[in-house]
Amino acid sequence: MKSMLKIATVAVAMSAASSASAIDWQNWQGWSVKAGVNKITPKVQSGDITAPAQPGSKVDVGSDTQPIFSVAYAYTSHLSVELVLGTPYQHDISGAGGLAGTGKSGTVKSMPPTLFAEYHFLEEKAMFRPYLGLGLTYAYFYGETGSGALTALTNTGSSTPTTFSVDSAWGLTPQAGVIYNINEKWFADLVVTKTYLKTTAHYSTGQTVDLTLNPVATALSVGYRF
C-alpha cells in the first residue's frame, strides 16, 4: 500500500507540473507504457492431498505484491492490446482444512505474463476513461521450496526432505479498470483482474493435490503515451 501511495503522489505531482497542458488529441493511436505495483491474492479452493494423508488435508496459498510494467498499442481510440509483465511473485504455502494451524509448508514463485484485448469507453479527451478487457495468462511456477513442516506432514519419521513441484497453467483473465488522464501524454491507471486458474502440486512422496487458485489482482500504475 505504501508503494501504491507513492505512485499516486507522483501522478498528482505530474498533474500539477503539467496543468497548462490540456488533453487535446483526436483519435489517438500508438504506443504506451506503464509501471506500477500489483498485489495478487489467490482465492484458493483446495482438493484433499492424496493418500497417505489424513482426511481433509488441504493447502492454502498466500498473496504477494510486486512491481509490474506493461506495453500497449491502441489501434483506435477505443480498442487496444496490452502485454503485462513483472518481477516474480513469491507465495507462502500453508496447511488448510485438516492441516490448518500447522504453519508454513513451503514457498513457490510465479511469473504470470498476460496479454489483454481492451475496450475503452467515453471519448479520448475524457478525464476519466473506464475500460474492460479480457486476457490470456500463462502462470509459470518455479522455485518450489519445502519446509521441515512439509516433511513432517507428508513423510513422517523420515530424514529425507519432501520436495514438490507445481504445474504451470493457462487461464482466462477478465479485467476492469479506469484511466485518469493527467495530460495528453501522462496518465494514471487503476485496474482489478481475476484469473481463472487451476493447477496441481506434486510431492516427492508421491502425493498430489489439485488447486483452484483464481487469484484476484489490484494494480496501480503511471503511464506514458508515445
Side-chain angles (χ1 to χ4, degrees):
M1 290 305 297
K2 290 182 179 179
S3 298
M4 290 185 176
L5 288 173
K6 289 180 181 178
I7 289 175
T9 300
V10 171
V12 171
M14 288 189 300
S15 179
S18 59
S19 58
S21 180
I23 300 174
D24 188 25
W25 66 87
Q26 292 183 352
N27 298 317
W28 180 83
Q29 294 176 315
W31 295 94
S32 63
V33 293
K34 294 189 307 189
V37 291
N38 185 49
K39 181 177 181 179
I40 291 182
T41 304
K43 302 297 182 179
V44 181
Q45 295 181 7
S46 171
D48 289 352
I49 299 175
T50 58
Q54 68 181 42
S57 297
K58 299 181 184 295
V59 171
D60 196 14
V61 181
S63 61
D64 192 26
T65 302
Q66 291 293 332
I68 58 168
F69 56 92
S70 70
V71 58
Y73 183 78
Y75 290 95
T76 72
S77 60
H78 295 287
L79 298 175
S80 63
V81 294
E82 182 180 19
L83 177 63
V84 180
L85 304 168
T87 57
Y89 299 87
Q90 180 164 301
H91 304 277
D92 289 342
I93 299 176
S94 58
L99 298 180
T102 57
K104 188 169 98 173
S105 59
T107 60
V108 61
K109 295 181 180 180
S110 69
M111 290 281 285
T114 305
L115 181 64
F116 288 100
E118 299 168 339
Y119 183 84
H120 297 254
F121 299 90
L122 306 182
E123 58 185 9
E124 304 88 353
K125 64 182 180 180
M127 188 68 70
F128 290 94
R129 294 196 72 194
Y131 65 93
L132 296 174
L134 181 63
L136 183 63
T137 297
Y138 181 68
Y140 173 61
F141 297 103
Y142 71 104
E144 299 92 336
T145 303
S147 69
L150 178 63
T151 300
L153 291 169
T154 59
N155 204 5
T156 305
S158 174
S159 60
T160 303
T162 298
T163 60
F164 70 99
S165 63
V166 180
D167 292 340
S168 298
W170 294 90
L172 287 177
T173 304
Q175 66 174 180
V178 61
I179 287 173
Y180 168 65
N181 284 310
I182 300 169
N183 57 44
E184 72 273 11
K185 292 293 186 179
W186 291 96
F187 62 95
D189 181 277
L190 176 64
V191 61
V192 177
T193 64
K194 181 174 182 177
T195 302
Y196 292 89
L197 187 67
K198 294 182 179 181
T199 187
T200 300
H202 305 264
Y203 299 96
S204 59
T205 50
Q207 297 146 299
T208 63
V209 59
D210 293 327
L211 297 168
T212 298
L213 298 176
N214 291 357
V216 172
T218 303
L220 178 62
S221 304
V222 172
Y224 182 81
R225 301 182 180 93
F226 295 94

